[in-house]
Structures are given as structure tokens and as C-alpha cells.
Amino acid sequence: MLTDKQWTIAVLGGTGKEGKGLASRWAKAGLSVVIGSRNADRAKETATEINAAKPPLSVTGDNNLKATQTAEIVVLSVPYSAHRETLDTIKSAMQGKILVDVTVPLVPPKVTKVQMPPAGSAALEAREILGDAAEIASAFQNISYEHLQGNGEIGCDVLVTGTSKETRAVALELVAKAGLNGWDAGPLENSMVAEGLTSVLIHINKVYGSTHAGIRITGVANKNKPSQEISN
Ligand SMILES: NC(=O)c1ccc[n+]([C@@H]2O[C@H](COP(=O)([O-])OP(=O)(O)OC[C@H]3O[C@@H](n4cnc5c(N)ncnc54)[C@H](OP(=O)(O)O)[C@@H]3O)[C@@H](O)[C@H]2O)c1
């Protein structure tokens, strides 16, 4: 569906570690990608870097608002401290679009401790800020950028939550296009679990001297044939 519709995906914070990894994977999968940044020149530099792949790619770059205006799907991958400010910048251009929030509400220096914002999670805060203007999904919080920027197998699943099952279906397609295994994890209220798991994984990495702790959903025999219709 994503390729058929020729949708454009804006990756805000795509100049950074996680966003660059996602943008690069989607561009390699044939999707139309624009990098968003607070600084258009920085976005263009990152696009040029990604485009140097073999075979060459055609990612573009612009400031966050213009990148949002050109896209149907907007992926938000910025530090939590920049989350509200970035959403305020793009709010006027989000009508009828889908936001995929990657943000984890980490509060340094205690990043191994779950510290959800008053809204309940970063994704729920995004819904408060954007109101009904956009559909919102939440995904990728448990995937390290080192995995995304590498070519090896990624031993971690992606939990996808969202404001409707249609929105989650679009985000699950993005997960698959990035070469990852995604799960419909329910309504956006459940995003606090995926966001919180990141602190748990960082803690496990510290305790056990690892860098790539991840999660796998087990016990589901027939993933491609969900047996129960859900309403939202
Ligand atoms: N890194 C990981 O492995 C990982 C894994 C899972 C989830 N996440 C989550 O994904 C999000 C992005 O993580 P990241 O590691 O990619 O972050 P990052 O590299 O530190 O920053 C990403 C981009 O955010 C933009 N940004 C906007 N306002 C900012 C501000 N006030 N301070 C700093 N940067 C600002 C910057 O782009 P411009 O300067 O170009 O605007 C920067 O390149 C975070 O919420 C993180 O928790 C990260």
C-alpha cells in the first residue's frame, strides 16, 4: 500500500541517529523519504549522505515544517526535550496526516528509570498537542539505532500502538519496509508500555554489559492470520 500510493514519509529528526537509520532503510525499500530538521541545510546534508548508497537513492531534505507539508506520513524521532516544540512547529500542517512517534520520554540522567509525562506517554502527549487533526501511531522505541544503521539481523520486535487499527496497519507496513517484525499492540494508550520498555532494556544492557537487549513476542502460532476482529 505504501509503495502503491506513492506516499511521502517525512522523518523529523532524521539528521540524528535513530531517524537516519529509519530513513535510510525506507529509502532502500523504495519509499519516498524527506528528512526534516530544524535547519534545512543540515537535512539536505543528511539526505546527500544517505543518497550515496549503492545503488544511489533520492532522499530530499528540508526544515521540519516544509518536510511535513510535503508528506502524508510524519515520523517524529527527536529527543523528548524537543518533542513538544517540534510538534508545535508542525501542528498547522498535520491535518489529515499520520504521525508515527518514535520518541521515548527519557529524562536524563536517570534513563534506566521509567518516567512517563503527565499525559501518560510521549505518544499520548502528541495526541494532546495535535488534537483530532492527525491520526497517531507509536513504534520503534525498542530498536537501537546501531541495528537500524547496520545490515545484520535485528533480534528485536516492534510494538505498534495507534489511534485506530487502520493507522496501526500503516505503521506496521513501515515496520515491515524497514525489515523488522511488528505487532499490532493495541490502542495508543498502550504506547506507555513500549516507551517504558526502553528504560528496562537500557537497564538490562548496563547490568549485563550488552548493547543490544531486545524483546520478542512468543507463543503466537499464526501471525499472518489474526483470528479475532477488533473494533479499533
Ligand atoms: N538512539 C537510539 O538507539 C534510539 C532507539 C529507540 C528510540 N530512540 C528515540 O528516538 C528519538 C531520537 O533519538 P536519537 O538517538 O536519534 O536522538 P539524537 O540523534 O540525539 O537527535 C535526533 C535529532 O533530533 C533533533 N533535535 C530537535 N530538537 C533537538 C534538541 N533540542 N536537542 C537535540 N536534538 C534536537 C536533531 O535534529 P536537528 O538538529 O537536525 O533538528 C537531532 O539530529 C529519541 O526520542 C530517542 O529516545 C532512540
Side-chain angles (χ1 to χ4, degrees):
M1 185 172 75
L2 286 170
T3 321
D4 298 347
K5 286 199 179 178
Q6 301 286 316
W7 281 353
T8 295
I9 298 145
V11 184
L12 312 187
T15 55
K17 300 181 279 295
E18 185 84 354
K20 196 190 299 180
L22 288 169
S24 168
R25 281 173 172 257
W26 288 326
K28 284 177 186 162
L31 301 182
S32 167
V33 176
V34 52
I35 300 288
S37 165
R38 290 170 293 179
N39 178 307
D41 288 340
R42 199 154 52 235
K44 289 182 173 88
E45 276 167 31
T46 299
T48 303
E49 202 184 308
I50 293 172
N51 291 340
K54 287 192 179 104
L57 301 166
S58 53
V59 173
T60 58
D62 217 321
N63 69 47
N64 285 328
L65 180 58
K66 286 195 181 149
T68 300
Q69 286 165 341
T70 61
E72 286 81 25
I73 301 172
V74 179
V75 176
L76 182 56
S77 180
V78 297
Y80 178 63
S81 57
H83 186 246
R84 177 175 291 278
E85 185 189 329
T86 310
L87 287 166
D88 283 340
T89 304
I90 62 163
K91 182 174 178 178
S92 62
M94 280 305 297
Q95 189 75 38
K97 299 185 178 180
I98 296 175
L99 180 84
V100 180
D101 203 346
V102 180
T103 308
V104 181
L106 297 177
V107 185
K110 293 255 179 210
V111 294
T112 56
K113 183 171 139 184
V114 177
Q115 299 179 77
M116 288 299 144
S121 71
L124 290 173
E125 194 165 74
R127 189 173 66 181
E128 274 187 8
I129 295 166
L130 296 180
D132 293 332
E135 293 286 331
I136 300 176
S138 167
F140 301 109
Q141 286 81 8
N142 309 136
I143 309 293
S144 149
Y145 81 94
E146 291 177 38
H147 279 317
L148 293 175
Q149 293 191 10
N151 295 315
E153 207 223 325
I154 300 182
C156 184
D157 288 352
V158 179
L159 300 178
V160 174
T161 61
T163 43
S164 70
K165 66 178 175 184
E166 291 77 18
T167 301
R168 296 195 292 275
V170 170
L172 281 164
E173 263 198 82
L174 281 180
V175 171
K177 291 281 183 196
L180 290 153
N181 186 40
W183 295 91
D184 182 331
L188 198 66
E189 284 73 8
N190 294 356
S191 63
M192 65 178 66
V193 176
E195 293 179 24
L197 259 178
T198 303
S199 288
V200 174
L201 295 174
I202 295 171
H203 177 82
I204 288 172
N205 280 335
K206 285 200 171 164
V207 170
Y208 297 98
S210 55
T211 52
H212 298 119
I215 56 144
R216 283 278 196 227
I217 300 300
T218 61
V220 181
N222 207 356
K223 185 182 183 224
N224 296 322
K225 259 190 164 182
S227 60
Q228 208 185 331
E229 265 305 311
I230 46 163
S231 57
N232 75 342

